[in-house]
Structure formats: C-alpha cells, structure tokens
Amino acid sequence: MKIFKTNTSKDNALTAKLKSLRILDKDVRETFIHSGGKGGQNVNKVATCVQLIHAPTGIIIKCSRTRQQGLNRYWAYFMLAQKIEALATAKKVEKQKVSEKERRSARKRSKRSKQRMLDDKKHQANKKAQRRVL
C-alpha cells in the first residue's frame, strides 16, 4: 500500500482506486528524475519528476507538475489510475457494442419491414426482367 505525502483523505481515496483497478505495487516501477522548466535551483538539483511504468499495460507516466517529489508521485499515480480506468471502460464499451450488434442482427423482423423488403426485391426483379426483354 502506497503512502503519499498529501492529506489522508486524498491518500485513502487514491489507494482505494488503485485497489479497485487491481494496480499492484509490484507491477509499477517508479523512478525519480530531474525535472526541467520553472522551479529554479530546486528542479535542477533534486529529482522531483516522477516516472511510472506499469508493466502489464506498458503505460508510461511522467509527472513534474509541482516542485515537490511527493505531490508529483501522487499525481503520477492518479494519472495512471485514470488511464487504466479509461482503457477498462473502452474495452467494456466495445464489448457492449459487439453484443448489441449481434442481438440486433439475430432479432426477428417485423411483418411490415419483411413485407417492405420483399416488395423492394420484387421491384428490383421487375426492373431486371424488363432489361432482358429489350
């Protein structure tokens, strides 16, 4: 269980989300690297940027939002959880689309739509028959 350097309610919420998404500590490799940009001497000397690599999915997250390593670590895990959740919901939606398409294709046609289809076929057949006559 990860402990982040934010307030306890945020820590608990994030750890609960990580548990629900089944993101294990052993699956995530975290490294700390030097940030760049604003922040002056702090970001140049201290490794405040956090990089997470989630082995099962191959997702790489880099976070250097703040000048504090602990907060960047929190935000990196937060972003990782969001990405994995988005992947899971995308898979779920795709699965629902496939099952819905199968259900629609397997359903029985109404009498009216079947009659309309047959009328269209007869009309097409008549057009082809008239072409043969000429």
Side-chain angles (χ1 to χ4, degrees), residues 30-32 48-52 61-63 69 72-73 76:
E30 63 182 69
T31 52
F32 302 101
T48 56
C49 182
V50 179
Q51 181 180 22
L52 301 178
I61 302 286
K62 259 187 179 179
C63 183
Q69 188 183 63
N72 284 335
R73 191 165 165 257

Side-chain angles (χ1 to χ4, degrees), residues 17-107:
K17 190 169 193 172
L18 293 173
K19 267 187 185 177
S20 70
L21 293 171
R22 295 187 184 100
I23 300 173
L24 304 174
D25 292 344
K26 65 180 181 178
D27 293 341
V28 180
R29 195 174 84 223
E30 63 182 69
T31 52
F32 302 101
I33 51 181
H34 289 286
S35 298
K38 296 177 184 176
Q41 193 175 13
N42 183 56
V43 295
N44 295 329
K45 286 175 69 178
V46 183
T48 56
C49 182
V50 179
Q51 181 180 22
L52 301 178
I53 300 171
H54 188 244
T57 57
I59 295 174
I60 299 172
I61 302 286
K62 259 187 179 179
C63 183
S64 59
R65 273 190 184 183
T66 66
R67 292 174 54 183
Q68 299 169 358
Q69 188 183 63
L71 281 177
N72 284 335
R73 191 165 165 257
Y74 169 81
W75 285 112
Y77 273 98
F78 185 79
M79 289 189 284
L80 177 68
Q82 281 184 326
K83 280 202 175 190
I84 290 177
E85 191 173 35
L87 279 175
T89 55
K91 285 180 184 178
K92 196 178 201 180
V93 167
E94 189 62 35
K95 198 173 182 181
Q96 279 181 332
K97 280 184 180 179
V98 169
S99 64
E100 184 65 25
K101 188 174 182 181
E102 287 174 0
R103 188 187 66 77
R104 273 186 272 128
S105 67
R107 75 173 183 238

